[in-house]
Amino acid sequence: MDRRIGKTREAIFEAFISLMAEKNFEQITVNEIAARANVSRGTIYLHYVDKYDLLDQCIETQMEQLCESCLAGGEDAHIASGGALLRTAEYLERHAWVFTTLLNNKGVPAFRTRLHAILLQGLSEQIDMSGLNRGMNKEMLIQFLASAVVGVMEWWITHSMPYPANEMIEDILALMERNQMAPRPLDTVQ
């Protein structure tokens, strides 16, 4: 991508997120985004269909960057594994402003939904259905686990990350292991 295009898109994204930190998504106008980004309204429409497309692309970009960062661990190539969960929390911690804004804005459930979907996929690929999980409905178990992890991460982010990322993930994995639902043993967390 041309550097100028990248810089313009970054300015639009930053303006959009800063406006979302101030007001509800539904109240934000393309004119406000353009003014804050110091670009014309037409420039925004060159890159995005409307503010909903901008939101979708912002979330998708953030999720792609999150996944790239979290799955960079080689052998721990599932987002639901201990190491990948820790890298996820650390990435969220480093980019707290963006994710806090996305989660706190009442008009944006799409981010939470996307994170939930990624965890569902990771868990479905590696959940152990033997032992206590034998005979359980796998889909229901995966929904339960993904909802619990996303719920705790959402709480952690919206409450200004009161604990370090590694402590939160250790606690999540301990709870999962205590209930024999952990996708990977705790000793795989790095």
Side-chain angles (χ1 to χ4, degrees):
M1 174 187 321
D2 183 301
R3 279 189 6 212
R4 290 172 295 168
I5 292 172
K7 284 185 176 191
T8 299
R9 290 176 71 97
E10 182 66 26
I12 293 168
F13 170 75
E14 287 178 11
F16 181 58
I17 293 295
S18 70
L19 283 165
M20 285 180 56
E22 297 169 15
K23 54 171 58 174
N24 191 306
F25 170 75
E26 293 301 327
Q27 298 171 327
I28 297 170
T29 67
V30 172
N31 285 339
E32 289 174 309
I33 298 166
R36 180 81 51 104
N38 199 25
V39 298
S40 72
R41 182 181 165 138
T43 299
I44 292 180
Y45 287 119
L46 284 174
H47 297 278
Y48 307 99
V49 173
D50 54 23
K51 72 178 188 176
Y52 298 95
D53 182 42
L54 171 57
L55 175 64
D56 289 343
Q57 287 191 42
C58 283
I59 290 171
E60 192 57 36
T61 298
Q62 290 304 308
M63 295 311 293
E64 285 173 10
Q65 291 172 356
L66 175 70
C67 287
E68 286 173 17
S69 173
C70 300
L71 299 179
E75 77 281 344
D76 233 0
H78 295 286
I79 197 151
S81 68
L85 282 174
L86 178 58
R87 287 189 296 277
T88 299
E90 289 171 342
Y91 184 87
L92 294 172
E93 200 171 40
R94 284 190 309 274
H95 300 89
W97 181 70
V98 172
F99 292 106
T100 300
T101 300
L102 288 172
L103 283 170
N104 281 333
N105 196 298
K106 302 289 186 252
V108 190
F111 170 71
R112 186 184 199 285
T113 301
R114 185 75 170 91
L115 184 58
H116 187 262
I118 289 170
L119 278 168
L120 284 174
Q121 180 182 350
L123 284 167
S124 71
E125 293 171 359
Q126 66 178 144
I127 194 74
D128 181 5
M129 293 306 294
S130 62
L132 284 181
N133 293 337
R134 182 175 298 145
M136 289 199 68
N137 179 309
K138 182 177 180 179
E139 187 175 346
M140 187 183 309
L141 178 60
I142 292 167
Q143 286 288 337
F144 172 79
L145 291 173
S147 296
V149 171
V150 169
V152 170
M153 285 186 168
E154 180 179 20
W155 168 85
W156 180 67
I157 291 169
T158 60
H159 285 83
S160 303
M161 301 177 183
Y163 310 102
N166 64 323
E167 285 182 27
M168 181 197 50
I169 296 303
E170 285 174 11
D171 287 349
I172 287 173
L173 292 172
L175 285 168
M176 292 171 77
E177 183 158 300
R178 180 179 296 161
N179 293 290
Q180 295 187 357
M181 297 178 202
R184 295 247 173 113
L186 282 174
D187 59 359
T188 63
V189 177
Q190 300 169 14

